[in-house]
Amino acid sequence: MNGNLIIKNASQLVTCSGFKAKQGKEMSDLHIVKDGMVVIEHGIITAVGKTTDILEGSDEADFYAGGFDIIDASGKAVLPGFVDSHTHLVFAGYRDEEFSWRLRGDSYIDIMKKGGGIFNTVRATRAASKEELIEIGRKRLDSMTSFGVTTVEGKSGYGLDHDTEIKQLETMKEINNRHPVDIVSTFMGAHAVPQEYTGRQDAYIDYVIERVMPDVTDRNLAEFCDIFCEKNVFSVQQSRRLLLKAKENGLKIKIHADEIVRLGGAELAAEIGAVSADHLLHASDKGISDIAKAGVVATLLPGTAFSLKEPYARGRYMIDMNCAVALATDLNPGSCFSESIPLIFALATLHMNISTEEAITALTINGAAALDLADKTGSLDAGKTGDAIILEYPSYKFIPYHIGVSTVEKVIKKGKLIFDKHIK
Ligand code: NIG
Ligand code: FE
């Protein structure tokens, strides 16, 4: 395959058309074309429209002669590939034992205070070789691909020291080179206060700024910088200090904001011009209004609320307040060990009062916007990367309706078939 592909006769072509984040009411319009067709040339979409209209001006045989692969999507809905804009996909070790403690009633933060939680994964990730991490991450990415994900964000943050943070970011670069799915890397050296720095948050922020960040930026190892802005982790002031420095050094900003308690992370995201504010379970009305006005994408992670048995973020309210909402998995070994896109659809639609259309927007064009990639992927528009999924059903409405089951039959990345449910 050379990245030349036509997908024709789609019962619904759900284009999600647009080149920037969709806010509020805009999230409901999926810009659907019936009996649709997409033409992808050398990995880039060159035409989108009704099959009859596109084929009218040309002879189908020309496409065959031009070396195009052809997929007949009769009776199937076609959508842009999903963008999972918040994950921690590179990590070693598991926390299955801690999961059973949480089922018994122990809280996520209590487990972390006892040296488990993120610290448990830090120990395993420090001990793992880069090759091991690449192998683990690659397999995880294969699983994500099977759910229709064509672009994914991945964070460091299980090193909490110079060498391991760099190792995690190098690992993501390497997986990105070897795997068709695109990975956008985020430097999250301030994911927790390492045990060596207990009680010395400011000194650790200095270390991250002075010792780790210069290598990350000089070697172009990440596009974003993120921090866990949380009570007993990093304060709003410490987060502001680190993130402004990151911005100065050319990194774009994300924040783990108001996840466990209401600390003002959403307000900070708006103040410093973050691309996204993530989690937001406890975001205040003011924080929500600030991010809506500032055009910060509100990235909601319902799998984490579900897994931690916490109340969901106020997704309905945020959309009604004109926010641009994205949804993502937060795949990580602790608070949400799941890369399941069907789970996210189920929780968003059945438990957060988000419509199917809004949820699709949140996982496509708004997911792309959360990575500052809305001009490149996240919709089926001419000029964008040829990233698409073909469902096994005629309508996008089957996505949440077939509860917890992936409806994705084929995944196309840059015009190439990278997953087919029926080919093993
Ligand atoms: O997004 N909040 C902090 N970070 C992750 C969890 C990481 C972990 O538990 O390993 C989160 O919930
Ligand atoms: Fe996270």
Side-chain angles (χ1 to χ4, degrees):
M1 289 183 110
N2 50 11
N4 286 346
L5 173 71
I6 69 171
I7 306 170
K8 63 175 188 175
N9 301 330
S11 55
Q12 282 179 345
L13 192 66
V14 180
T15 66
C16 301
S17 180
F19 291 82
K20 58 183 178 57
K22 301 203 178 186
Q23 295 189 234
K25 287 196 176 63
E26 293 168 353
M27 288 183 66
S28 302
D29 192 350
L30 294 178
H31 299 268
I32 295 172
V33 180
K34 281 198 188 132
D35 184 27
M37 173 161 164
V38 188
V39 180
I40 303 170
E41 295 182 58
H42 304 297
I44 302 292
I45 299 173
T46 52
V48 178
K50 268 197 179 310
T51 305
T52 41
D53 291 351
I54 296 181
L55 287 179
E56 211 166 65
S58 54
D59 189 342
E60 201 171 335
D62 292 347
F63 283 111
Y64 287 103
F68 279 77
D69 289 303
I70 297 189
I71 296 178
D72 188 331
S74 300
K76 294 168 197 297
V78 174
L79 291 85
F82 294 129
V83 179
D84 191 348
S85 62
H86 180 139
T87 87
H88 306 250
L89 89 156
V90 173
F91 59 85
Y94 291 99
R95 302 194 336 236
D96 46 311
E97 198 55 39
E98 293 179 7
F99 184 78
S100 67
W101 298 345
R102 285 205 288 112
L103 295 182
R104 212 175 55 187
D106 296 5
S107 82
Y108 175 79
I109 288 287
D110 284 346
I111 293 172
M112 189 166 161
K113 277 189 190 149
K114 281 189 253 164
I118 292 175
F119 301 122
N120 195 340
T121 304
V122 166
R123 283 188 288 275
T125 307
R126 285 180 180 175
S129 71
K130 206 194 313 178
E131 277 309 316
E132 280 163 352
L133 289 176
I134 291 171
E135 202 40 34
I136 297 168
R138 210 181 45 75
K139 286 196 186 127
R140 240 166 240 151
L141 202 49
D142 281 344
S143 172
M144 299 169 109
T145 309
S146 74
F147 292 119
V149 171
T150 49
T151 302
V152 70
E153 183 256 13
K155 302 175 197 295
S156 69
Y158 290 123
L160 309 183
D161 64 19
H162 172 276
D163 292 1
T164 319
E165 286 296 311
I166 298 292
K167 179 173 70 178
Q168 259 193 294
L169 292 170
E170 286 173 344
T171 297
M172 281 190 272
K173 283 272 171 226
E174 195 49 45
I175 302 172
N176 192 32
N177 292 339
R178 295 189 199 179
H179 199 285
V181 165
D182 286 322
I183 306 185
V184 175
S185 295
T186 296
F187 169 50
M188 198 174 177
H191 190 195
V193 187
Q195 287 166 308
E196 308 86 270
Y197 279 85
T198 304
R200 297 190 295 133
Q201 272 94 332
D202 275 302
Y204 183 61
I205 294 281
D206 291 341
Y207 172 79
V208 171
I209 291 175
E210 287 158 23
R211 298 287 315 283
V212 196
M213 198 183 288
D215 273 358
V216 173
T217 49
D218 288 354
R219 295 180 51 203
N220 217 357
L221 286 173
E223 276 122 275
F224 283 87
C225 183
D226 195 344
I227 187 166
F228 193 11
C229 177
E230 189 61 56
K231 186 171 170 216
N232 296 327
V233 191
F234 298 107
S235 68
V236 169
Q237 290 86 326
Q238 287 157 345
S239 303
R240 184 186 288 110
R241 186 154 78 83
L242 177 91
L243 295 174
L244 286 178
K245 193 46 107 181
K247 213 173 160 180
E248 222 177 275
N249 285 308
L251 293 167
K252 296 169 196 171
I253 305 304
K254 291 181 169 291
I255 308 182
H256 277 61
D258 302 315
E259 178 180 356
I260 318 267
V261 304
R262 177 172 297 177
L263 206 69
E267 288 86 340
L268 176 66
E271 175 199 315
I272 64 174
V275 175
S276 73
D278 300 37
H279 285 286
L280 302 173
L281 270 58
H282 301 278
S284 69
D285 289 356
K286 176 168 185 307
I288 291 170
S289 140
D290 285 0
I291 58 176
K293 281 190 207 126
V296 176
V297 177
T299 301
L300 308 185
L301 310 160
T304 311
F306 175 69
S307 164
L308 295 178
K309 297 202 267 184
E310 291 285 335
Y312 295 96
R314 294 185 288 157
R316 177 74 268 142
Y317 176 79
M318 291 180 199
I319 296 173
D320 293 342
M321 288 294 121
N322 206 36
C323 284
V325 167
L327 287 161
T329 62
D330 196 21
L331 166 65
N332 74 72
S335 66
C336 185
F337 183 41
S338 179
E339 68 276 39
S340 171
I341 298 291
L343 174 67
I344 301 307
F345 271 103
L347 298 175
T349 55
L350 292 166
H351 286 286
M352 297 171 84
N353 273 324
I354 291 178
S355 71
T356 304
E357 292 77 10
E358 290 163 342
I360 289 173
T361 299
L363 272 149
T364 53
I365 184 71
N366 280 7
L371 299 181
D372 202 22
L373 288 176
D375 57 336
K376 298 202 173 58
T377 188
S379 72
L380 300 174
D381 280 303
K384 288 213 182 176
T385 307
D387 302 345
I389 56 176
I390 302 175
L391 304 189
E392 54 189 348
Y393 292 110
S395 162
Y396 69 84
K397 292 194 172 154
F398 279 80
I399 297 175
Y401 167 52
H402 201 166
I403 299 172
V405 176
S406 180
T407 53
V408 175
E409 186 179 275
K410 290 184 173 62
V411 181
I412 314 291
K413 179 71 191 176
K414 295 186 180 137
K416 296 181 185 170
L417 182 69
I418 60 166
F419 172 79
D420 189 327
K421 199 173 194 166
H422 304 296
I423 302 175
K424 286 278 168 264

